């Protein structure tokens, strides 16, 4: 998993450079904090990152990730064929 990158931009600068700001956020692990009057008012994130963050609110999903990581650490891995059968 790649490291999150957090940057900030003023609202006026963002408005004047929207395409560049969107390009900066297009990388899936970038977060752009938007400031107005020296206050952070909002954040702009890539859709994939937003989906990942929303998924983390589901406790059952998070539990299944922890269980899968523990199984992998114990060497309990399945092949694609075992998991999905012959496609």
């Amino acid at each position: 998993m790649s490291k999150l990158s957090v940057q900030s931009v003023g609202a006026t600068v963002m408005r004047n450079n929207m395409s560049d700001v969107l390009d900066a956020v297009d990388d899936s692990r970038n977060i752009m904090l938007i400031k107005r009057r020296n206050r952070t008012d909002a954040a702009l994130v890539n859709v994939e990152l937003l989906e990942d963050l929303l998924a983390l609110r589901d406790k059952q999903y998070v539990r299944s990730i922890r269980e899968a990581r523990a199984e992998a650490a114990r060497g309990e891995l399945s092949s694609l064929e075992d998991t999905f059968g012959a496609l």
Side-chain angles (χ1 to χ4, degrees):
M1 180 179 288
S2 60
K3 188 176 178 181
L4 285 176
S5 171
V6 180
Q7 302 172 0
S8 65
V9 64
T12 302
V13 172
M14 185 186 81
R15 183 181 63 237
N16 294 337
N17 300 283
M18 180 61 80
S19 181
D20 292 334
V21 172
L22 291 174
D23 287 344
V25 174
D26 194 35
D27 293 334
S28 64
R29 307 316 273 181
N30 285 348
I31 299 171
M32 187 67 67
L33 300 177
I34 302 159
K35 293 183 166 198
R36 279 192 308 186
R37 297 180 209 94
N38 291 326
R39 235 181 63 192
T40 300
D41 285 342
L44 188 61
V45 300
N46 176 279
V47 171
E48 291 175 13
L49 177 57
L50 175 63
E51 290 170 348
D52 290 346
L53 294 171
L54 292 173
L56 291 176
R57 295 187 65 191
D58 182 342
K59 291 179 182 178
Q60 184 177 355
Y61 176 72
V62 173
R63 189 178 317 112
S64 72
I65 291 172
R66 285 189 188 127
E67 290 171 3
R69 287 180 178 163
E71 289 171 2
R74 292 190 302 266
E76 299 172 8
L77 304 174
S78 301
S79 69
L80 279 173
E81 190 172 291
D82 290 341
T83 303
F84 297 106
L87 299 176

